[in-house]
Amino acid sequence: MSPIFRPILAGAQFRDRLTGCIGAGIGIALTMVVCAGLPPLGADLPIIVAPLGASAVLVFAVPSSPLAQPWPVVGGNIISTLIGVAMFQLVPDVTAAAGLAVGGAILVMSLLRCLHPPGGAAALTAVIGSQGIHAAGYGFAFMPVGINSIALVSLAMFYHRATARSYPHQPAAAPATVAAAGFRPEDIDAALADMHESFDISRDDLDALLARAELHAQARRR
């Protein structure tokens, strides 16, 4: 297979991707149905916001990602939208407001442990959105953004449970035999510090993955 078409996610299988596609389709559709049944949000306000499409990719396609967990989805989208509204109201220049909204959203999400990439889009939407979005002010962060996010996460919990997937994600335990003889969690922390990079995997998942790889290596050597 050409390197261009190889899976970009380690461990990705077609069945998992198909399950994610179906889940995202159901999740977005039902989120729209749920939110359409709520009282009218106001003139020129969407039933569902565009950044939720990106949230669905994370929640259904990579549910083990730290960026796809319930708090990052709900907290990241709402907090980022609040920052976007604040920048629009405080900074007269739209170009500067857009940059400050996205940059500020990343900073605050990082500090509050709810980093979620679609949050950047939510912050930008609050700045460059329609007149109805601007008129809604800070309320836009809760309806429809907050309601959309809560509905999507709730649906994802039911869907992943029905398809035997872990969400909210619970890392698998590292094999005890390897953990006792092999590297330790502080070794992983030291290696991560050496690389000066951020990876889309939790430290616990990385620990379990490397421990199982060491177990297979021991079996191969035997």
Side-chain angles (χ1 to χ4, degrees), residues 43-46 81 84-89 91-92 94 97-98 122-141 143-144:
D44 200 25
L45 279 181
T81 305
V85 173
M87 292 302 102
F88 176 77
Q89 295 184 359
V91 181
V94 175
L124 188 60
T125 300
V127 175
I128 64 171
S130 66
Q131 185 59 41
I133 290 175
H134 295 156
Y138 292 103
F140 176 65
M143 293 185 65

Side-chain angles (χ1 to χ4, degrees), residues 1-7:
M1 180 183 292
S2 169
I4 298 176
F5 298 104
R6 288 177 183 167

